[in-house]
Amino acid sequence: MKMPGRFFAVTVLLISSALMPLAVAPATAEPDPDATFAKANARTGLPDGWNPAPETYGVGETKNVEIPMADGVVLRADVRYPTDASGAPAVGPFPIVMTQTAYGKDSAGLMRLLSYDGIGPALDSALPSVVAVARQIADAAGYGDYFVKRGYISVVTDIRGTGSSGGQWSILQPQEREDSKRVVQWAAGLPNSTGQIGLWGLSYLGMSELLTAGVMEPGSPVKALFPLMAGNNAFQDLLEHDGYYNISFLASMLELPITALPQLDPILGLYREPDKMMSVFVDHLLSHFRPDGTWPSVLNALVDGDKAYNSPYWESRAIDNVLDQVAANDIPTYLIGGQYDLLQDGTPRTFAGLQNAFAGRPHSGPMPADASSTGRVQMLTGPWFHIQPGVQRNTADIDMHAIQLAWFDRWLKNDHNGIDETRTPLHAIDLNGNVIESATYPVREVPTQNLYLGADGQLVSDRPQDADGSDRLNFSPFNTGTICNASFSRNFSGVYQLLTSLFGADDPCAKFAPQGSLPPVLVNPSYTSAAFTEPTVLAGPIGATLYAVSNKPAAAFEVTVQDLAPDGSATALTDGELTGDFRALDEARTWRAPDGSVQGAFHPGTRESMLPVVPGQVTEYNVKVRPAFHVFEPGHRLQVTLGTGDFPTHIFNPKQYPDLLGGVYDVQRNGGAASFLTVPLAGVSQRKG
């Protein structure tokens, strides 16, 4: 870890903050006969020979169309539709692309005026990076004119209790699905439409579309999905990382998106109708004080209430629980994930779950290595942060609009363009632009192997045989990376990347591991493999099985995986966390490697599943390390670092601190208790298939 580089990175971020007020196979990469891996380019993900249709239509708009719900609450939507040269509605009919947003359609409209329309074009030549970021935010919020100009009707609806819609909001509440049924039926009946709908959206918008698809009946108007950065289980992915509370995510969301925007949006959208504006404003204000409101829920978790644990409340909000119905409805789904996304584990799990469900297998397990797959379910993931999928300056930017258009053209316009005709529906791009493809997740071409923690900081393939051997970890509530490290950058919802993008740069903190050593204050042991002699692929979820003895009735482990270059510089790839009381496994949702070792732990996280830590006793801890897709170059090594606390990214349940403080953990690496990683890793000459 090079502290001067980190100091420079923090300086850049502080300055940024201050200045911000098989017929046709899909093309995946640019062919390079001398390269081991294909390289990503702007056509990655697009079918060979297919190009987006040109802009043909103008755009008309009907604002604040009112949609009454069964209980009398009124939702509001903006409808943008194709027009001809005279400005009149164009001759249709046209299919519909629809977004349901929790962040306010009029906020998206404001960003549109700062980017695509309004003053955006005038600013583009002078401030191209700033305008590009504004466009990315507008896209994330559901702006859909790209599709309207190519023959689609775009609908953006404010979810109950958000934007210009009435009612009260809480995160992914089941009432939203009931509302969505009515909104879908209303949209399908829009004039000049075909009645066929494609749902799309990023983050919460993507979660909402998957949950909507999961309550539809077969034959519904919903014919295609394109969720970006949607994850699998909001509790596990976003809020509670196996005993670690994700306060960096909450810090990125509580002030503006969850607290300020619901009060600002009615003013933006309904200022011409003061009575309606005040009614919606008050509804939104009351949302903050209802028991399921965000602030009461956060306080509930901090005092060890039910929101701190998995429960029917959270399970009713889990995408994982609707995947069978999405498959039963036969809705083609194209997922977008990100390796710097805080949902980096959940989105691939959703891909595997849908592939399993479409094939009639139980959805909660990994795809079998010999499983068949379908091009009706695909996933593209790359080195992208939460808000900006497809954008990374170290690789080619991906034309995400074009991929969406190809997907919707295929399923809403019956254009057999070849996007679904692939034998490898999993497409992953690593930080250096290498493209890794597979028919399955976990990736069958990259089998797992166990790497053991060895003496002298070695990471070895042979199980230790010595009777004794351990390394000591002293508990600290803090990480050594402060707020400039990969864990904070990812869990802060990609805000750093957004800020640095204003200056045409990538987040400089994303490469730093959160758990380096800071002797003599904090010493975190690292274990390093031998140097790779050929390009070596890491692809998929990682399990860390630690055997440890604690001197206290609590324990906490953070595991970070890095790429260690020949010059000693390290690039963080992924990490995972686990407190001792959360260590129970849900076997139905835990993924195991062929030898039985845990590759993808799933800890139930319920209050009833908590297990005590017995001081002085060797205990097994299965840490879920989030998946990574990466190619190690020859001469590079894989390094794993163990740590404990992770503030300011994570905190613990406050009631645990008395038992955690002063903790000493002896991590075992001996014949009787050999700690190890289960990692999908193979040199190019060893890959299967």
Side-chain angles (χ1 to χ4, degrees):
M1 180 183 301
K2 298 184 177 180
M3 295 307 292
R6 179 168 295 184
F7 175 79
F8 173 75
V10 172
T11 303
V12 169
L13 285 168
L14 290 175
I15 292 172
S16 301
S17 301
L19 292 178
M20 185 180 183
L22 280 183
V24 183
T28 56
E30 185 170 345
D32 182 350
D34 298 321
T36 304
F37 293 90
K39 292 290 185 179
N41 61 41
R43 287 197 55 85
T44 296
L46 296 176
D48 283 335
W50 180 90
N51 289 296
E55 295 182 0
T56 304
Y57 302 99
V59 180
E61 182 177 47
T62 305
K63 284 195 64 65
N64 286 329
V65 181
E66 296 190 347
I67 315 166
M69 299 294 105
D71 60 357
V73 168
V74 174
L75 307 191
R76 292 180 173 87
D78 289 349
V79 180
R80 294 172 73 84
Y81 52 85
T83 60
D84 60 24
S86 72
V91 176
F94 302 106
I96 301 152
V97 290
M98 188 171 85
T99 297
Q100 300 172 97
T101 179
Y103 304 126
K105 59 184 176 55
D106 295 293
S107 300
L110 180 61
M111 295 310 301
R112 171 173 57 83
L113 294 174
L114 297 175
S115 57
Y116 290 101
D117 300 334
I119 65 172
L123 292 175
D124 201 10
S125 58
L127 299 169
S129 296
V130 174
V131 173
V133 169
R135 288 173 177 166
Q136 291 154 15
I137 297 174
D139 292 341
Y143 174 69
D145 279 10
Y146 178 91
F147 307 109
V148 178
K149 294 174 181 178
R150 292 165 174 83
Y152 287 86
I153 296 170
S154 172
V155 174
V156 183
T157 306
D158 285 331
I159 286 170
R160 173 184 294 253
T162 71
S164 295
S165 290
Q168 297 177 8
W169 178 85
S170 71
I171 182 171
L172 298 172
Q173 59 183 321
Q175 179 62 47
E176 285 182 13
R177 267 83 86 198
E178 295 305 311
D179 293 346
S180 295
K181 291 179 184 179
R182 281 182 165 256
V183 173
V184 165
Q185 293 302 324
W186 161 81
L190 284 172
N192 210 24
S193 79
T194 64
Q196 296 195 324
I197 298 173
L199 300 178
W200 74 283
L202 182 144
S203 186
Y204 194 105
L205 290 64
M207 299 175 196
S208 177
E209 73 174 276
L210 282 160
L211 291 168
T212 295
V215 296
M216 293 290 110
E217 299 294 333
S220 82
V222 177
K223 303 301 182 185
L225 306 177
F226 201 98
L228 300 93
M229 312 301 201
N232 180 264
N233 184 306
F235 181 74
Q236 297 266 354
D237 292 338
L238 295 176
L239 303 169
E240 192 282 322
H241 290 160
D242 294 335
Y244 286 63
Y245 294 177
N246 189 359
I247 59 168
S248 55
F249 167 70
L250 290 176
S252 73
M253 296 297 294
L254 283 177
E255 297 88 347
L256 180 62
I258 289 177
T259 301
L261 275 183
Q263 305 310 134
L264 175 64
D265 284 329
I267 300 171
L268 291 174
L270 296 170
Y271 64 91
R272 291 189 177 93
E273 302 176 89
D275 291 345
K276 293 179 179 179
M277 180 186 74
M278 285 306 302
S279 175
V280 171
F281 185 93
V282 171
D283 270 355
H284 294 186
L285 189 62
L286 293 174
S287 294
H288 301 308
F289 302 102
R290 62 185 295 197
D292 284 351
T294 304
W295 286 100
S297 295
V298 170
L299 294 174
N300 174 279
L302 291 176
V303 297
D304 196 41
D306 290 343
K307 299 293 194 331
Y309 301 91
N310 201 6
S311 65
Y313 175 89
W314 290 115
E315 287 294 332
S316 71
R317 291 154 166 80
I319 291 167
D320 189 66
N321 292 324
V322 304
L323 299 182
D324 286 332
Q325 188 60 41
V326 175
N329 292 341
D330 196 28
I331 305 177
T333 304
Y334 200 117
L335 298 151
I336 301 296
Q339 294 175 64
Y340 290 138
D341 181 29
L342 70 164
L343 299 150
Q344 75 182 96
D345 177 63
T347 301
R349 273 189 174 258
T350 294
F351 168 78
L354 283 172
Q355 284 283 353
N356 283 333
F358 266 77
R361 299 184 294 264
H363 80 264
S364 57
M367 293 180 70
D370 60 351
S372 60
S373 59
T374 174
R376 296 172 71 86
V377 175
Q378 298 191 43
M379 182 181 74
L380 172 63
T381 185
W384 310 318
F385 288 86
H386 189 65
I387 307 173
Q388 298 167 289
V391 178
Q392 223 288 338
R393 285 160 187 80
N394 198 47
T395 67
D397 286 350
I398 303 302
D399 192 343
M400 202 63 69
H401 278 148
I403 298 173
Q404 288 176 263
L405 184 67
W407 192 249
F408 287 142
D409 279 359
R410 171 64 186 92
W411 305 112
L412 302 182
K413 293 187 175 181
N414 199 30
D415 177 5
H416 291 270
N417 53 32
I419 192 167
D420 58 315
E421 297 170 8
T422 176
R423 295 178 180 175
T424 54
L426 169 60
H427 323 284
I429 304 169
D430 82 349
L431 184 60
N432 298 310
N434 297 301
V435 178
I436 302 164
E437 295 195 289
S438 182
T440 63
Y441 182 79
V443 175
R444 64 187 178 200
E445 294 83 1
V446 185
T448 57
Q449 57 177 287
N450 294 333
L451 297 177
Y452 293 87
L453 310 189
D456 303 318
Q458 297 182 82
L459 192 62
V460 296
S461 57
D462 294 329
R463 182 186 176 96
Q465 300 300 317
D466 294 342
D468 298 310
S470 65
D471 293 310
R472 177 155 291 184
L473 266 175
N474 294 300
F475 175 79
S476 166
F478 305 97
N479 66 43
T480 57
T482 62
I483 62 171
C484 186
N485 62 76
S487 177
F488 192 91
S489 289
R490 180 179 64 249
N491 287 294
F492 199 48
S493 300
V495 172
Y496 282 180
Q497 177 73 2
L498 201 66
L499 291 169
T500 55
S501 293
L502 294 170
F503 302 92
D506 285 321
D507 174 9
C509 291
K511 68 172 291 184
F512 296 122
Q515 296 292 353
S517 286
L518 200 62
V521 178
L522 188 63
V523 177
N524 289 328
S526 291
Y527 305 85
T528 308
S529 72
F532 297 112
T533 59
E534 62 175 336
T536 299
V537 184
L538 168 64
I542 302 168
T545 301
L546 303 180
Y547 295 92
V549 179
S550 174
N551 70 327
K552 302 278 296 250
F557 300 96
E558 170 105 6
V559 178
T560 303
V561 175
Q562 295 125 212
D563 179 331
L564 189 65
D567 65 2
S569 61
T571 299
L573 299 178
T574 186
D575 52 55
E577 306 83 25
L578 176 66
T579 60
D581 56 336
F582 270 72
R583 70 184 185 276
L585 292 172
D586 180 345
E587 285 294 347
R589 293 197 271 188
T590 290
W591 294 7
R592 291 186 178 272
D595 68 352
S597 60
V598 175
Q599 182 181 4
F602 193 99
H603 303 285
T606 63
R607 191 185 292 272
E608 296 75 21
S609 70
M610 295 297 104
L611 296 175
V613 174
V614 180
Q617 180 175 302
V618 176
T619 303
E620 179 178 347
Y621 302 94
N622 302 110
V623 184
K624 176 179 67 180
V625 182
R626 298 170 191 86
F629 295 90
H630 183 70
V631 178
F632 291 91
E633 296 299 324
H636 288 233
R637 296 178 289 168
L638 185 155
Q639 183 178 72
V640 58
T641 300
L642 305 184
T644 56
D646 192 29
F647 182 84
T649 306
H650 296 93
I651 62 171
F652 301 100
N653 189 321
K655 75 172 187 178
Q656 284 198 303
Y657 280 98
D659 289 334
L660 286 167
L661 293 172
V664 176
Y665 315 135
D666 291 319
V667 179
Q668 306 297 297
R669 47 171 181 77
N670 53 65
S675 299
F676 63 95
L677 290 186
T678 299
V679 55
L681 190 71
V684 291
S685 64
Q686 304 167 321
R687 284 187 299 170
K688 293 183 177 180

